[in-house]
Amino acid sequence: MTAVHVPGTPAIEDGQLVSTSPATGVEAGRVPVTDPSEVAAAVERARAAGAWWAGLGFAGRRERLLRWRSLLARRIERLAQLVHDEGGKPVPDAIVEIATAIEHIDWAARNAGRVLGPRRVRSRLIVAEFSGHLEYQPYGVVGVIGPWNYPVFTPVGSAAYALAAGNAVVFKPSEYTPAAGQWLVDSFAEAVPEHPVLSAVHGLGDVGAALCRSGVDKVAFTGSTATAKKVMAACAESLTPVLLEAGGKDAMIVDSDADLDAAADACVWGALTNAGQTCIGIERVYAVEPVFDAFVGKVVERAGRLTVGADGADIGPITMPAQLDVIRRHIDDALARGGRAVLGGADAVRPPYVHPTVLVDVPADSAAVREETFGPTLTVNRVRDADEAVRLANALPYGLGGSVFGRERAVAIARRLRSGMASVNSALTFAGMSTLPFGGVGESGFGRIHGEDGLREFGRPKAITRRRARSLLPSMTFERTPGDVARLVKAVKLMYGRR
Ligand code: NDP
């Protein structure tokens, strides 16, 4: 008989991390816990594998990464089931998540050579006797620390790009989703059996902390802002570079000329998919006065139709039990400060589920507006115009993504959002476009995954100049003469001195 544990709470038994369904408590998988003192040794093993991997060159890595991609594509249903069993995510949502991750592997594998490979850069008149050469060389070993809410998409967003760039990766999955993490590592080992180029270390936060201090050459962290700060502090001790993908409180702006049906549809999806446990989830909406009531009506109608439950429902359980208290506090606080629930409300939290909740007229200083809720809740507030909407959207320290619905001004509004990403007349769609960089500003972190910037994030720029002729204006030598310096002065005035 399958053992049933405290739903969703990871337990350690006989040196194994036991992962359970937050809905049923049924065991989803178990993995060996890594002692923090062994993490550095895992990194050293990865270093040796990484040297082999880097030696394969872009073409060799591309072929192997595409092999891994194909394997994931062929087994997409199996992995989706595991993601569902372990984190509670509805299977169709898990499919969408994995499909997006597969696209990223494909793009990173196919484009790494073009973006990072050796190339000539144009010289300039003042140094015309030299040619310029640029390439992005792998760091060596990249430590990837991942969260539980998108246990495939988030680590792959870093790992696929780091691997394509020629690095080995040591991955620390969240303690809530270690089985999905190990599945990724095992499938990679099937596609690339020669060396452990992608490996995992498992455990609680202390294992992640050990990874930061293990001698890795870069850390790519995805998780909460609070932990991001700890990761950065730990990495500062050894000046290990970090990429931080942290939390968010993304806003949607609905302008007066928006298609309200499309806006409501995207809003409900953007806010409630994965039970709202999405870093780029829509948590706040600012709708302009003339369309506010009609928009709220459409949102409530759509969100009210969603089903909540373990299997086959639109909204699954809250993965991390402790998050239920945060969600309850945000709803209660919003209501206590004068907000109104037009759907759900105080009794929406029914562990392990939270029923869709739409709050309107919520004061700007309430927790539901200021802090990341990470639940299937949404605040919708009325604004005079798009300017006020932008001001309120930009009023928080977070700045991850955002969405704008409208026609005339929508793109201009999107550009004014203080965020790393925005989607116009859709929600969350930038995450699936592998050609675009993904990342935030302010308390949402820094650095980029995905796209060309995401590839460059995992390579050190190596700049080389090569002499191709004698210097006409020799200056970087003690052999220069006063005449050479005088000619340089003349040239500088000629080239740069004119207005
Ligand atoms: P956490 O910050 O709690 O954990 C993230 C990872 O860090 C986990 O693997 C965790 O391990 C590990 N960790 C914990 N403590 C330390 C430490 N001191 N040093 C190093 N690593 C440590 O985040 P969650 O897992 O709760 O994920 C949810 C958060 O992630 C949300 O805030 C969400 O917005 C954000 N997120 C951001 C994304 C982005 O791209 N910007 C994407 C997805 C999520 P353990 O689980 O074992 O404690």
Side-chain angles (χ1 to χ4, degrees):
M1 207 186 108
T2 320
V4 176
H5 299 77
V6 181
T9 306
I12 293 182
E13 285 176 15
D14 302 327
Q16 303 259 311
L17 183 58
V18 183
S19 173
T20 58
S21 158
T24 60
V26 171
E27 181 176 329
R30 53 179 66 205
V31 296
V33 172
T34 313
D35 190 278
S37 65
E38 291 165 8
V39 174
V43 169
E44 277 323 295
R45 282 194 296 279
R47 193 171 299 288
W52 169 80
W53 181 246
L56 289 175
F58 290 106
R61 292 195 292 271
R62 171 191 160 121
E63 185 205 321
R64 286 165 176 81
L65 282 166
L66 292 179
R67 226 186 277 161
W68 184 39
R69 172 219 59 183
S70 304
L71 219 140
L72 260 61
R74 289 200 300 274
R75 296 184 190 161
I76 187 167
E77 292 100 336
R78 235 190 286 174
L79 179 55
Q81 187 61 45
L82 176 60
V83 169
H84 167 75
D85 291 346
E86 184 171 51
K89 178 176 298 188
V91 171
D93 284 347
I95 296 271
V96 174
E97 173 184 354
I98 300 162
T100 311
I102 289 169
E103 158 61 19
H104 282 290
I105 298 173
D106 188 77
W107 190 86
R110 291 181 190 281
N111 289 278
R114 175 182 62 81
V115 177
L116 306 177
R119 65 184 160 95
R120 287 278 291 270
V121 297
R122 288 176 80 101
S123 189
R124 298 275 293 169
L125 190 56
I126 195 154
V127 284
E129 69 272 37
F130 302 102
S131 58
H133 305 258
L134 173 63
E135 67 187 74
Y136 293 80
Q137 299 179 345
Y139 278 88
V141 184
V142 173
V144 171
I145 301 176
W148 45 265
N149 59 340
Y150 286 84
V152 177
F153 169 77
T154 56
V156 164
S158 295
Y161 289 77
L163 289 164
N167 302 280
V169 169
V170 177
F171 169 34
K172 153 68 178 73
S174 164
E175 69 195 71
Y176 291 92
T177 51
Q182 189 60 45
W183 194 101
L184 288 175
V185 169
D186 292 344
S187 61
F188 185 86
E190 238 181 286
V192 185
E194 295 94 333
H195 294 277
V197 177
L198 172 65
S199 56
V201 288
H202 292 288
L204 311 186
D206 56 342
V207 175
L211 187 57
C212 298
R213 297 189 170 93
S214 62
V216 285
D217 302 290
K218 180 154 188 165
V219 170
F221 169 85
T222 307
S224 64
T225 302
T227 310
K229 291 176 183 175
K230 289 187 201 163
V231 165
M232 191 167 168
C235 288
E237 293 166 15
S238 52
L239 232 51
T240 302
V242 287
L243 155 72
L244 301 176
E245 295 290 350
K249 187 75 185 173
D250 288 357
M252 173 183 277
I253 293 176
V254 183
D255 204 1
S256 53
D257 55 355
D259 174 339
L260 295 187
D261 286 305
D265 179 54
C267 172
V268 170
W269 158 259
L272 307 183
T273 181
N274 199 26
Q277 304 165 112
T278 305
C279 55
I280 49 170
I282 303 295
E283 297 213 357
R284 304 175 285 154
V285 180
Y286 298 104
V288 298
E289 174 68 43
V291 300
F292 179 85
D293 290 327
F295 173 74
V296 170
K298 288 176 190 291
V299 167
V300 169
E301 191 270 316
R302 281 173 168 76
R305 267 195 265 132
L306 301 180
T307 54
V308 180
D311 286 309
D314 298 310
I315 302 205
I318 297 304
T319 305
M320 197 171 60
Q323 196 64 27
L324 290 159
D325 296 334
V326 176
I327 300 167
R328 191 184 288 115
R329 176 169 64 79
H330 286 194
I331 295 174
D332 290 349
D333 179 64
L335 297 177
R337 287 169 188 265
R340 285 183 299 120
V342 287
L343 182 70
D347 61 353
V349 182
R350 297 174 221 164
Y353 302 101
V354 177
H355 289 251
T357 292
V358 180
L359 302 159
V360 296
D361 301 332
V362 187
D365 60 352
S366 67
V369 172
R370 295 198 62 82
E371 299 169 24
E372 192 178 43
T373 308
F374 238 49
T377 68
L378 178 68
T379 66
V380 191
N381 279 348
R382 196 186 302 263
V383 287
R384 244 187 348 268
D385 53 24
D387 285 344
E388 187 183 9
V390 169
R391 186 176 58 73
L392 291 169
N394 289 348
L396 299 185
Y398 287 121
L400 196 51
S403 166
V404 182
F405 269 80
R407 288 195 182 88
E408 291 258 308
R409 296 169 294 258
V411 171
I413 294 169
R415 294 176 71 199
R416 288 169 62 197
L417 284 178
R418 180 183 165 273
S419 69
M421 304 156 294
S423 36
V424 170
N425 295 333
S426 65
L428 325 187
T429 40
F430 44 75
M433 196 172 284
S434 49
T435 44
L436 280 178
F438 183 106
V441 303
E443 297 247 322
S444 293
F446 53 78
R448 293 293 181 265
I449 54 174
H450 304 173
E452 297 191 359
D453 296 273
L455 282 168
R456 287 191 201 103
E457 192 75 43
F458 296 105
R460 291 189 179 106
K462 179 62 174 272
I464 298 174
T465 52
R466 182 176 180 189
R467 182 179 289 284
R468 56 184 176 187
R470 196 173 58 83
S471 295
L472 293 176
L473 290 172
S475 57
M476 299 173 94
T477 165
F478 287 117
E479 303 301 318
R480 69 192 165 206
T481 63
D484 290 332
V485 176
R487 274 195 295 281
L488 179 62
V489 168
K490 205 168 159 189
V492 166
K493 287 185 177 169
L494 224 118
M495 285 194 293
Y496 311 113
R498 285 164 296 163
R499 287 183 187 232

